[in-house]
Amino acid sequence: MNLAVKVGSLHLKNPVMPASGCFSFGKEVAAFYDLSVLGAIVVKATTLDERQGNKTPRLAETAAGMLNAIGLQNPGVERVIETELPPLRKYGIPIIVNVAGNAMEDYVQVVERLNDSPDVSAIELNISCPNVKCGGIQFGTDPEMAASMVRAVKRASRTPVIVKLSPNVTSISEMALAVEEAGADAISLINTLIGMKIDIARRAPLLANGQGGLSGPAIKPIAVRMVYEVTSHVKIPVIGIGGITTGEDVVEFLLAGAQAIQVGTANFTDPLACKRIIEELHAYCDEAGVKDINTLIGAAKPHAKGRFL
Amino acid sequence: MAVQRVLEQRVIGPELYALTFSAPLKLSEGGYEPGQFLHLRVTDSFDFVLRRPLSLCQVHVERNALTVMYRAQGAGTRRLARLRAGDAIDVLGPLGKGFPLHAGDRRALLIGGGIGVPPLVELARHLHAQGSEVVSVIGFQTADQIILREELKAYGQVHLVTDDGTEGVRGRVTDVLTPEQCEGVTRYYACGPTPMLRAVQTVLRERDIPGYLSLEERMGCGIGICVGCVHKVRREGRESYVKTCVEGPVFPAEEVVFS
């Protein structure tokens, strides 16, 4: 049975990778299992300088999901290159670095620094963090700004550029087409949906930041729909993200058209989530008689069955 | 981490429960510290995506079991309260850094507020075992909320405080922390709501007594990957956010910054 997939020039032994911000830089989860079982690893959003993030509370649980407003707390690109990435080498899997910033120059500078690291396999361009005033979301909601960002980063980057899209837009396909046109090598979607929880005892928003990003199984149907829609419009590979907790969820995203997937919130519920999901995916393929997982990609679409969209 | 068995679920007050389950480690070999927490999954579905961090209250070596206590005031903890003996429960831990013990301490002052009292019981047992005198000051809103008074009495003197004076001294735990009461205290340990910790830190700093605070922040993963449960600390003159799940929940009182 073949679980290996390709995302552009990236070769993954299976389609499962942790989502940025849901795995830190890997070392904590490495205490639970050997990370070499993963298709790839996506590390926490990295900015030019160290960031402390938002005030607390930063988290709130919701029905089958959660809100977060971490605010991109990270040690800055220099320390990421020097201390966080080298220990990941030994797993022999692609390392994808999520890049965030305020202005376009910040993104370009981070990407230029990452060019010097031998550990980086690809960049995931974070133009979709909803939790900081200037965290790139302004680039993630305007097709023209997104396209100019992608062009600048593509010029600067030695490695493939995956653009992570926000669902908080009127047309996700318009955004996807704009970044494809600008030269993106792949797209990942969706980042979190903006939400809010009110603390009825305090009669005020629960999160210190007011609003936060909704993730978890609650958003999965939205993510599946967006993956289905975007993969019907663009030719570049799409990585599906949103509420994946089981191997069957992965199959659903692949059938919708995703080339690979990312697991986010489930890592918080269960540190073994990614490993378990890979095992479940294997078991599914076994039982369903799927010899090559690539045959599942986009197979839920009408054209895959000889019909038109 | 593993699926454990619930051995007992006991009501100990209004909305207050004591949950005992088989330990995910061999307790006779140690491997835990008072002040650490267990991270419990509420159900095996993903209706509740976050675990509930509950501090280790009692260790039962002979049964290889652990007891935690909690207030069922949200949907998740109310669901936990439905567990019965024999049910399965997914337990991660013990996690985090607990209360450090100092062998030379003559007299330790333990300060607890409400549902912050439970971790002090296992701490008191350890302190008593190393020969330190244990004095506990525990505060509750009202008399029917009082928990663990007898358990703490087994290790030393207990001063009881209630907000409304229905039992013990009326007032706050800091009202009991007079210079006379603090005479001879070599170290303090506190766990409770943030306003209490802040007040205790201020009073005992004036008395020049070193101590530890067990902090309460909304926690996500419990293992350091979500960066949700941070608290501000000051180290070498520099303030930064650190994760309470892995660097805490217990911190030296002098480095904790309350905003």
Side-chain angles (χ1 to χ4, degrees):
Chain A
M1 179 198 310
N2 175 44
L3 290 188
V5 296
K6 285 203 299 182
V7 175
S9 58
L10 292 178
H11 292 256
L12 315 181
K13 70 175 81 168
N14 65 62
V16 179
M17 59 188 107
S20 179
C22 302
F23 215 70
S24 195
F25 292 92
K27 62 177 178 285
E28 293 84 1
V29 182
F32 289 87
Y33 63 88
D34 181 351
L35 302 186
S36 63
V37 302
L38 298 169
I41 184 166
V42 188
V43 301
K44 190 158 170 51
T46 298
T47 52
L48 192 55
D49 300 312
E50 180 184 2
R51 287 203 191 186
Q52 287 293 328
N54 292 328
K55 290 200 165 89
T56 60
R58 292 176 171 187
L59 299 175
E61 195 180 47
T62 59
M66 58 174 279
L67 291 163
N68 90 80
I70 307 298
L72 301 179
Q73 182 173 341
N74 81 94
V77 68
E78 292 304 327
R79 262 187 54 204
V80 168
I81 290 171
E82 279 162 32
T83 66
E84 304 290 354
L85 300 183
L88 298 174
R89 265 176 222 167
K90 59 178 172 287
Y91 301 112
I93 55 175
I95 299 169
I96 300 169
V97 178
N98 185 287
V99 173
N102 296 347
M104 199 183 298
E105 306 82 71
D106 301 342
Y107 282 84
V108 170
Q109 277 188 52
V110 173
V111 168
E112 283 172 347
R113 278 300 290 124
L114 290 170
N115 283 341
D116 298 335
S117 165
D119 300 312
V120 182
S121 310
I123 298 295
E124 184 177 59
L125 197 56
N126 186 349
I127 52 169
S128 45
C129 177
N131 293 328
V132 288
K133 284 198 185 70
C134 300
I137 189 69
Q138 69 277 22
F139 296 104
T141 50
D142 180 316
E144 279 174 33
M145 285 181 78
S148 58
M149 170 69 88
V150 171
R151 278 192 290 270
V153 167
K154 268 301 287 178
R155 271 198 300 274
S157 181
R158 162 181 81 75
T159 62
V161 174
I162 302 162
V163 182
K164 187 167 181 176
L165 295 183
S166 169
N168 304 302
V169 292
T170 308
S171 169
I172 190 119
S173 296
E174 191 185 352
M175 294 299 301
L177 285 164
V179 301
E180 178 183 50
E181 168 74 25
D185 296 288
I187 289 169
S188 56
L189 72 145
I190 59 176
N191 205 322
T192 55
L193 289 138
I194 299 171
M196 183 183 272
K197 181 168 179 166
I198 305 284
D199 179 344
I200 61 168
R202 287 174 42 244
R203 300 192 174 186
L206 191 147
L207 297 174
N209 188 51
Q211 61 184 35
L214 181 66
S215 65
I219 72 165
K220 201 190 84 181
I222 299 169
V224 171
R225 191 275 290 177
M226 289 188 167
V227 165
Y228 189 99
E229 184 185 314
V230 166
T231 52
S232 302
H233 285 88
V234 301
K235 293 182 187 67
I236 53 176
V238 167
I239 301 170
I241 321 166
I244 293 172
T245 64
T246 67
E248 291 183 355
D249 291 341
V250 179
V251 174
E252 207 178 326
F253 274 85
L254 297 180
L255 292 172
Q259 205 79 18
I261 60 90
Q262 295 180 3
V263 178
T265 305
N267 292 297
F268 302 158
T269 317
D270 176 10
L272 295 169
C274 288
K275 180 174 188 280
R276 174 181 52 76
I277 288 168
I278 293 164
E279 289 162 0
E280 288 171 356
L281 186 59
H282 202 278
Y284 167 85
C285 290
D286 220 11
E287 282 167 33
V290 176
K291 292 191 177 60
D292 181 354
I293 200 160
N294 290 280
T295 60
L296 296 175
I297 296 167
K301 299 200 181 198
H303 66 79
K305 299 187 177 81
R307 285 178 278 144
F308 291 104
L309 252 180
Chain B
M1 176 183 58
V3 173
Q4 302 300 320
R5 284 286 150 204
V6 173
L7 302 176
E8 187 185 35
Q9 175 94 264
R10 203 156 44 88
V11 178
I12 54 169
E15 296 185 330
L16 296 170
Y17 295 83
L19 180 67
T20 303
F21 47 84
S22 58
L25 69 168
K26 206 165 174 191
L27 295 170
S28 57
E29 293 171 1
Y32 67 90
E33 299 168 358
Q36 283 188 301
F37 65 94
L38 285 310
H39 216 19
L40 309 184
R41 210 167 145 183
V42 176
T43 66
D44 59 4
S45 76
F46 284 82
D47 298 336
F48 296 93
V49 298
L50 299 181
R51 289 168 182 262
R52 297 301 188 271
L54 299 174
S55 56
L56 175 58
C57 175
Q58 288 168 306
V59 168
H60 315 281
V61 177
E62 66 298 337
R63 284 195 287 166
N64 203 52
L66 302 168
T67 298
V68 295
M69 293 185 182
Y70 61 98
R71 185 193 306 275
Q73 56 186 5
T77 41
R78 281 199 293 270
R79 180 66 77 88
L80 265 189
R82 278 162 48 181
L83 288 172
R84 293 293 173 264
D87 288 347
I89 182 165
D90 184 340
V91 179
L92 196 57
L95 299 174
K97 292 202 173 75
F99 294 112
L101 298 175
H102 299 264
D105 279 348
R106 285 193 319 281
R107 180 184 248 205
L109 179 60
L110 276 52
I111 305 153
I115 203 63
V117 174
L120 302 182
V121 175
E122 186 58 23
L123 173 65
R125 187 173 78 83
H126 278 70
L127 289 166
H128 186 259
Q130 72 170 16
S132 302
E133 184 194 344
V134 177
V135 178
S136 302
V137 176
I138 52 176
F140 302 92
Q141 283 173 347
T142 185
D144 67 2
Q145 310 258 324
I146 296 166
I147 53 171
L148 298 167
R149 173 173 37 177
E150 298 309 314
E151 286 81 352
L152 285 167
K153 266 189 186 163
Y155 305 111
Q157 210 182 349
V158 175
H159 299 273
L160 182 68
V161 182
T162 54
D163 288 357
D164 61 2
T166 43
E167 228 183 304
V169 175
R170 178 184 181 143
R172 301 293 168 95
V173 290
T174 40
D175 297 336
V176 181
L177 305 178
T178 57
E180 303 75 56
Q181 191 57 250
C182 295
E183 191 68 41
V185 169
T186 43
R187 201 171 311 275
Y188 77 91
Y189 298 89
C191 183
T194 301
M196 184 203 93
L197 295 178
R198 186 202 309 247
V200 166
Q201 184 197 46
T202 305
V203 170
L204 294 179
R205 186 191 289 140
E206 283 166 17
R207 312 239 186 287
D208 220 13
I209 302 169
Y212 294 97
L213 304 176
S214 179
L215 303 181
E216 187 178 48
E217 286 288 348
R218 278 176 174 265
M219 201 176 276
C221 65
I223 61 167
I225 58 175
C226 76
V227 205
C229 66
V230 296
H231 193 94
K232 199 169 269 181
V233 298
R234 187 183 296 111
R235 288 172 181 163
E236 293 161 1
R238 182 175 180 269
E239 287 187 1
S240 64
Y241 277 130
V242 297
K243 302 165 191 172
T244 55
C245 63
V246 290
E247 292 205 38
V250 176
F251 291 90
E254 68 270 15
E255 68 178 30
V256 176
V257 179
F258 292 108
S259 47

